[in-house]
Amino acid sequence: RKNIQKSSKILLLDGKYVNILGESVCIHIAYDTGIGVVDFWVDDTENKTAYGYILRRLKDLGYEPFCVVSDDHSSITPLLEEEKIPHQICIFHLQRTLRKLLTGNNKFTEPIPSEYQVMYSRIKGIFKTNHIEKIPCRVNDFRKLQTFWQNPKEKYVLDWFWKTLPNAIMCLSFEENVPRTSNLLENLNGQIEQRLKTFRGVKSEQSLNKILKILFFLRNFK
């Protein structure tokens, strides 16, 4: 509440799984690009209810994001659609999904089969476009190639692409610097792992909450 005027209202959402005495729990994290972690919630699994609870708590404080950046997790995307909040899907996760669709394996070391390399390159290029003015030309060029991609796998990927495209380039719709990846939270997740190693694990949810509050509080506000 004290730092809300410094916030960007660009919110990153993600879940981080950790163990408490051998039992897996998920830390749901809300991270503002201007001031850092603004809320978190620990639950048994990554779920829509937990993220909805976080958004409601933030709204009660007067914080309503104008855009959310996250992966395309089934607990986040439907919630943002219901809340009518613009959603930028992390293009790193989208590229991983694209590779999996084309290769059957989401490892980045797995080569793209030669017959799918043009499709992969064009889709990746559209997702990584830096200026919205370039999108129409690239999309029109892509449409011209669709007639060459007619086997079931290619048609499935095309359906996925057209459905995903608006959320892959949502960041280009804003004057503000909306990130196109959730890397900021990936870095934070790494810090959580290191902190838990320092504490040699965690013995209760109460202890986990205390550790996280200390970690998040000590991060510098901009």
Side-chain angles (χ1 to χ4, degrees), residues 193-207:
E193 289 182 5
Q194 289 301 317
R195 182 58 60 93
L196 294 183
K197 286 181 180 179
T198 302
F199 281 86
R200 296 183 179 179
V202 60
K203 297 181 179 179
S204 69
E205 186 173 322
Q206 184 179 15
S207 295

Side-chain angles (χ1 to χ4, degrees), residues 123-166:
I123 291 177
K124 188 172 74 168
I126 293 172
F127 285 170
K128 298 180 73 173
T129 302
N130 291 322
H131 301 286
I132 197 167
E133 293 81 8
K134 295 180 180 179
I135 291 294
C137 180
R138 292 190 176 183
V139 167
N140 286 335
D141 288 343
F142 184 81
R143 288 184 188 277
K144 295 174 184 177
L145 297 173
Q146 285 193 128
T147 55
F148 298 100
W149 298 321
Q150 294 296 316
N151 71 45
K153 178 181 287 189
E154 290 168 338
K155 288 183 177 181
Y156 185 86
V157 172
L158 286 172
D159 288 342
W160 171 85
F161 167 74
W162 291 117
K163 179 182 177 182
T164 303
L165 179 60

Side-chain angles (χ1 to χ4, degrees), residues 21-211:
L21 293 178
E23 295 292 331
S24 179
V25 298
C26 181
I27 309 166
H28 301 71
I29 304 172
Y31 183 102
D32 179 271
T33 60
I35 59 175
V37 176
V38 289
D39 202 0
F40 70 94
W41 185 256
V42 178
D43 210 337
D44 292 341
T45 62
E46 188 173 7
N47 62 83
K48 178 181 174 183
T49 301
Y51 285 119
Y53 180 55
I54 286 176
L55 290 180
R56 188 166 66 252
R57 293 207 304 189
L58 292 175
K59 186 174 183 178
D60 289 343
L61 292 175
Y63 181 103
E64 296 187 60
F66 67 80
C67 187
V68 168
V69 183
S70 77
D71 58 19
D72 193 19
H73 196 275
S74 58
S75 64
I76 298 178
T77 300
L79 173 66
L80 298 180
E81 290 175 353
E82 291 175 9
E83 296 292 331
K84 294 180 172 56
I85 300 174
H87 182 198
Q88 168 67 41
I89 299 177
C90 172
I91 63 167
F92 176 82
H93 288 85
L94 289 178
Q95 288 179 47
R96 186 166 63 184
T97 299
L98 177 59
R99 292 186 72 94
K100 185 175 182 178
L101 291 175
L102 293 175
T103 67
N105 191 323
N106 60 8
K107 293 182 179 179
F108 274 87
T109 55
E110 185 74 17
I112 302 296
S114 58
E115 64 267 31
Y116 301 132
Q117 286 179 359
V118 172
M119 174 184 275
Y120 175 78
S121 177
R122 293 300 179 93
I123 291 177
K124 188 172 74 168
I126 293 172
F127 285 170
K128 298 180 73 173
T129 302
N130 291 322
H131 301 286
I132 197 167
E133 293 81 8
K134 295 180 180 179
I135 291 294
C137 180
R138 292 190 176 183
V139 167
N140 286 335
D141 288 343
F142 184 81
R143 288 184 188 277
K144 295 174 184 177
L145 297 173
Q146 285 193 128
T147 55
F148 298 100
W149 298 321
Q150 294 296 316
N151 71 45
K153 178 181 287 189
E154 290 168 338
K155 288 183 177 181
Y156 185 86
V157 172
L158 286 172
D159 288 342
W160 171 85
F161 167 74
W162 291 117
K163 179 182 177 182
T164 303
L165 179 60
N167 297 103
I169 59 174
M170 182 64 68
C171 61
L172 303 179
S173 302
F174 300 95
E175 293 183 0
E176 296 83 358
N177 186 24
V178 175
R180 63 180 64 215
T181 73
S182 55
N183 287 347
L184 285 171
L185 272 184
E186 296 296 334
N187 293 336
L188 179 60
N189 288 341
Q191 293 181 43
I192 293 172
E193 289 182 5
Q194 289 301 317
R195 182 58 60 93
L196 294 183
K197 286 181 180 179
T198 302
F199 281 86
R200 296 183 179 179
V202 60
K203 297 181 179 179
S204 69
E205 186 173 322
Q206 184 179 15
S207 295
L208 177 61
N209 275 276
K210 289 181 179 179
I211 292 170

